[in-house]
Amino acid sequence: MESSQMPKVVAEVDELPKAIVRRVVKEKLSRCSDAGDIALHKDALLAFTESARIFIHYLSATANDVTKESRRQTITADDVLKAIQEIEFPEFIGPLKSSLEEFRRKNAGKRAEASKAKELKKRKNDGESSEMKDDGKRQKGASDNEQGDANGDATDE
Amino acid sequence: MESNTQQPQQAPPSSYPPGAVPPSATAGSFHQLLQQHHQQLQMFWSFQRQEIEQANDFKNNQLPLARIKKIMKADEDVRMISAEAPVLFAKACELFILELTIRSWLHAEENKRRTLQRNDISAAITRTDIFDFLVDIVPRDEARDDPGLGLPGIPAGIGGISGVMGAAPSDIPYYYPQMGQLPAGPGGMMIGRPAMDPSAVYMQPPSQAWQSVWQTAATTGDDESDGGGVGGGGNMVGGRDGQV
């Protein structure tokens, strides 16, 4: 009858990596005070980590609501930005937009490189099989045959 | 200084191209070249340091996107997430941690401490409206070091005073019915809003005893013991003005 023999099952919670949270906090603290280091108590670090995780939940739920209201399924960057406004952190919007732009630039660069590399590879392979010598036709054919996002986005550029 | 070279070349350093160091250069001009390089290196490193200090978008400080996505998906309502969303979440999280850090540090400063403690974070959460969603995560200790604060708003009040039935002490004119576990997470956003209309809470008293407590409070007119949101809440019921 007694459940003392039963192992307790505790749901595992994904936490943010403490080392990174610690670094963010410590760097800020070192800028706050001119007169030497501010120490960070272990419990305080846990509080930061927990709070950040709850912040993610709070923001996701709000963003998710924005998405659902627009009758969509996927949370987009714009949904997140709207949610940031809703939870009253408007000062974040500027830096967030910068991060987004940087991410898009890097991605565009990567995708362009990836599709170029694919094309080069294909042309090389075709050259080795020495079937077609008509490079112009091959080029078009290559992009039409490829599936997936890479080429699709490349053509959007 | 005696010249060690076979061909004494006394060309001034400025006429040398920066990269070229003829093997037959004198010790003097070579030394000057070294100094030039040293200066350039110094300039380079101080510029780098500036860049580093200004750059908040440090790769090292980037929270891992996969982990963030996992945390987001812990909420079953969240289904599909675009590739860009976790990027924004990572940045927003970092900015949030920075905000919380500053405000917590202020509290430590006020108490003349050089160690940031958990109660500093609690204080920051209590003081900042937009951090209300955290109020149950880092609970405020009973032993406060700044008693002059008073109750900042409805959430703290509900959390702190569990249902006291019947004999209400005269200095607690407001009775908060036991609300049970108030979700501090996504579902509980209504609590965090200071502008929330608390009449939804007070208009449906759970019992007759509860009503009589209100009547007593209305007649005593003894409502100045708490500041902040508590006073505001009382007014909304109309026990003061409207004489229910």
Side-chain angles (χ1 to χ4, degrees):
Chain A
M1 278 305 167
E2 294 302 330
S3 57
S4 52
Q5 296 298 326
M6 282 173 54
K8 262 199 178 155
V9 179
V10 180
E12 267 190 34
V13 176
D14 283 307
E15 295 283 1
L16 291 167
K18 285 200 336 232
I20 300 184
V21 175
R22 183 168 205 278
R23 207 178 295 143
V24 176
V25 174
K26 286 292 275 181
E27 280 179 11
K28 186 63 176 177
L29 285 178
S30 69
R31 290 198 291 273
C32 283
S33 166
D34 303 318
D37 270 348
I38 309 282
L40 184 60
H41 196 268
K42 221 170 30 168
D43 282 348
L45 177 59
L46 286 175
F48 276 116
T49 310
E50 275 290 299
S51 302
R53 181 173 64 82
I54 300 301
F55 175 77
I56 292 178
H57 284 310
Y58 184 33
L59 184 57
S60 327
T62 311
N64 202 35
D65 285 343
V66 174
T67 308
K68 294 237 164 96
E69 272 166 38
S70 315
R71 314 255 178 118
R72 279 180 286 105
Q73 311 299 323
T74 308
I75 301 179
T76 63
D78 273 335
D79 294 336
V80 179
L81 291 172
K82 279 213 189 92
I84 287 283
Q85 284 277 16
E86 275 196 35
I87 63 172
E88 295 183 76
F89 285 91
E91 65 274 18
F92 286 11
I93 302 240
L96 284 177
K97 283 190 173 164
S98 303
S99 287
L100 185 60
E101 273 164 40
E102 196 187 319
F103 175 75
R104 286 177 173 164
R105 266 202 311 270
K106 275 194 211 156
N107 248 32
K110 273 191 205 162
R111 282 202 301 258
E113 275 181 35
S115 62
K116 257 194 234 167
K118 269 187 184 166
E119 273 195 37
L120 281 173
K121 209 175 171 189
K122 197 140 205 314
R123 270 195 263 167
K124 188 177 166 217
N125 288 343
D126 293 337
E128 282 171 358
S129 64
S130 70
E131 295 258 353
M132 292 281 173
K133 300 247 173 96
D134 194 356
D135 271 346
K137 262 200 194 156
R138 264 297 140 191
Q139 223 170 354
K140 265 200 184 155
S143 27
D144 287 340
N145 287 340
E146 294 285 356
Q147 343 175 6
D149 299 347
N151 271 358
D153 286 344
T155 51
D156 288 344
E157 301 296 328
Chain B
M1 188 176 208
E2 67 280 344
S3 170
N4 299 338
T5 59
Q6 282 89 329
Q7 300 147 13
Q9 283 183 10
Q10 294 300 323
S14 54
S15 71
Y16 271 175
V21 184
S24 54
T26 61
S29 50
F30 185 64
H31 180 70
Q32 257 157 339
L33 199 60
L34 277 181
Q35 271 201 321
Q36 213 174 33
H37 286 175
H38 184 65
Q39 267 169 18
Q40 282 171 351
L41 273 174
Q42 277 199 318
M43 273 168 49
F44 172 77
W45 283 117
S46 74
F47 173 69
Q48 283 296 319
R49 232 175 288 127
Q50 269 176 48
E51 285 251 300
I52 289 170
E53 276 162 26
Q54 283 162 19
N56 287 328
D57 255 327
F58 228 7
K59 274 201 201 135
N60 287 344
N61 279 1
Q62 166 121 67
L63 296 160
L65 299 182
R67 187 80 57 92
I68 288 181
K69 206 168 155 192
K70 260 198 218 168
I71 293 175
M72 288 171 75
K73 300 216 108 190
D75 181 351
E76 284 174 0
D77 280 343
V78 173
R79 295 291 166 80
M80 298 183 55
I81 306 168
S82 76
E84 296 176 332
V87 174
L88 291 184
F89 271 82
K91 189 65 184 172
C93 230
E94 189 189 334
L95 295 169
F96 165 76
I97 294 173
L98 292 174
E99 281 272 353
L100 190 54
T101 302
I102 303 172
R103 291 168 198 271
S104 309
W105 172 74
L106 282 172
H107 187 259
E109 276 269 299
E110 284 164 26
N111 293 280
K112 299 192 175 41
R113 269 184 285 103
R114 310 221 27 103
T115 302
L116 210 63
Q117 294 172 356
R118 194 178 174 90
N119 67 328
D120 293 320
I121 298 167
S122 300
I125 290 172
T126 306
R127 289 175 180 183
T128 316
D129 282 346
I130 53 176
F131 288 168
D132 281 348
F133 68 95
L134 288 169
V135 102
D136 284 346
I137 305 303
V138 191
R140 200 90 168 89
D141 284 336
E142 286 311 316
R144 287 182 203 166
D145 40 8
D146 38 12
L149 256 188
L151 290 173
I154 296 160
I158 292 176
I161 306 171
S162 43
V164 175
M165 281 299 240
S170 56
D171 61 341
I172 305 181
Y174 298 105
Y175 160 54
Y176 290 88
Q178 184 76 37
M179 297 278 286
Q181 188 53 38
L182 295 169
M189 284 197 280
M190 57 164 237
I191 296 167
R193 296 284 147 254
M196 174 184 98
D197 177 15
S199 55
V201 172
Y202 301 140
M203 292 310 195
Q204 292 107 38
S207 70
Q208 289 300 337
W210 157 238
Q211 262 182 335
S212 67
V213 169
W214 275 112
Q215 301 278 334
T216 318
T219 46
T220 52
D222 182 9
D223 59 340
E224 302 317 315
S225 64
D226 289 305
V230 178
N235 284 338
M236 295 224 200
V237 175
R240 312 272 150 253
D241 314 333
Q243 265 325 97
V244 176

